[in-house]
Amino acid sequence: MSEPLVLVEPQYPLAVVRLNRPDKLNALSPEMLRALAETLEALNAEEAVRVIVLYGGERAFAAGADIEAMAKAGPVDIYLRNTRALWQRIWAIDKPVIAAVRGVAFGGGCELALGCDLIVAGETARFAQPEIKLGIMPGAGGTQRLARAIGPARAMEMVLTGEPLSAPAALQAGLLNRVVPDERVLAEALELAAVVAERPAVAVRLARQALRYGHERTLLEGMELERRNYLLTYDTQDQKEGMAAFLEKRDAKFTEK
Ligand code: COA
């Protein structure tokens, strides 16, 4: 039996998902994307898991789509492979996902990190959309999410040159949440995940949804979504408890309901 492409380590209420194709720098083959989508969906359905940390190991978060699997393909092959559907499944996860990035996050690896909610990176991590050097272009958010994250000018430069951004430059550009010493990446991502996991679960998911989906809509539609989700938080036990605890000057005991 070969090694699983994706490993899961539950650390309730957190779960670490680890891409496990180190010899190919976690190149995202269709099989890898499928394994990742299935793993994330299983964790999404598991009530005890509140926040997911996605990690790729020391050398690479992921070095992009699997070039070997693409080199001889034509557009119809790529279309029929339908990796878009796998990406959609990954993006549809509705629990917070934190990317813990060491080494390279190139191509689809950069796009995978961009699709997460928070990114913690090691100081020598590098981010790039190098597809242009292969005669193609980004196909999983690298021209869209990247531009929204760091602005059109910087995204244009990354996509047209294919050159990497260092972690400090990516932090400054607004792509990352934290840059930490390489060996601290997973620990810091888990610490950040633990803070989010302590917050009221329903409010976390509603706020996250407003941020993620609001981004894809007009300002007015985003504001409507925000207002709807805001109102919904008043229907949670945690809202009653959170406000009562504040007024009674005590710590809140959230029920996750
Ligand atoms: N697809 C398939 N295999 C890949 C890969 C990818 N995207 N990225 C790396 N690999 C493989 C290499 O072919 C090599 O396999 P081998 O040992 O069987 O020859 C192995 O992973 C290690 O990569 P290597 O290039 O030897 O490591 P490096 O440290 O010298 O360079 C990178 C690291 C990331 C700079 C380099 O691997 C690279 O440029 N990868 C492609 C990045 C890319 O263009 N991504 C977008 C794809 S659309």
Side-chain angles (χ1 to χ4, degrees):
M1 278 263 295
S2 54
E3 278 270 297
L5 291 169
V6 174
L7 304 170
V8 186
E9 189 194 326
Q11 298 185 21
Y12 300 115
L14 314 178
V16 178
V17 172
R18 184 175 171 147
L19 303 176
N20 187 36
R21 209 184 164 206
D23 55 322
K24 295 287 178 188
L25 304 184
N26 296 329
L28 299 167
S29 59
E31 296 74 24
M32 176 74 125
L33 282 177
R34 179 163 295 106
L36 181 59
E38 284 168 2
T39 304
L40 292 174
E41 281 173 347
L43 292 172
N44 206 40
E46 197 175 335
E47 215 172 304
V49 173
R50 300 278 297 278
V51 181
I52 298 163
V53 171
L54 180 57
Y55 181 54
E58 292 179 13
R59 265 186 84 193
F61 181 69
D66 189 326
I67 299 169
E68 231 178 287
M70 293 150 67
K72 296 204 174 79
V76 174
D77 302 315
I78 300 284
Y79 177 74
L80 292 176
R81 218 171 267 174
N82 200 10
T83 48
R84 163 49 56 99
L86 297 171
W87 281 106
Q88 295 287 11
R89 287 169 62 186
I90 292 166
W91 297 326
I93 302 304
D94 72 351
K95 290 178 181 173
V97 182
I98 301 181
V101 179
R102 290 186 68 173
V104 293
F106 280 9
C110 188
E111 293 170 315
L112 182 61
L114 276 166
C116 294
D117 301 299
L118 298 160
I119 308 178
V120 176
E123 57 202 349
T124 67
R126 290 181 301 148
F127 296 80
Q129 296 294 160
E131 292 89 345
I132 207 79
K133 294 178 178 174
L134 299 168
I136 57 169
M137 58 173 279
T143 65
Q144 303 302 306
R145 279 209 178 89
L146 185 64
R148 284 167 173 77
I150 66 174
R154 277 185 286 228
M156 187 68 87
E157 187 171 332
M158 279 181 77
V159 170
L160 297 193
T161 66
E163 292 301 317
L165 272 192
S166 67
L171 179 70
Q172 206 198 9
L175 185 65
L176 311 178
N177 294 87
R178 292 184 189 175
V179 175
V180 301
D182 290 325
E183 64 282 2
R184 289 281 308 151
V185 167
L186 188 55
E188 294 268 350
L190 283 164
E191 278 173 27
L192 185 56
V195 173
V196 176
E198 274 176 16
R199 302 292 179 249
V202 178
V204 162
R205 286 165 81 163
L206 290 172
R208 173 184 181 272
Q209 188 197 48
L211 273 153
R212 281 181 80 90
Y213 295 98
H215 226 61
E216 295 164 13
R217 293 175 164 81
T218 64
L219 180 63
L220 193 61
E221 288 166 336
M223 298 289 276
E224 286 301 325
L225 175 64
E226 179 188 85
R227 195 68 187 169
R228 191 200 68 181
N229 285 6
Y230 171 75
L231 294 176
L232 272 174
T233 61
Y234 284 80
D235 201 30
T236 61
Q237 290 170 20
D238 284 345
Q239 175 266 332
K240 309 287 175 252
E241 168 61 11
M243 292 192 181
F246 176 81
L247 294 173
E248 292 161 17
K249 301 190 188 304
R250 60 174 175 81
D251 289 337
K253 288 200 189 71
F254 293 121
T255 59
E256 306 177 16
K257 295 264 159 56

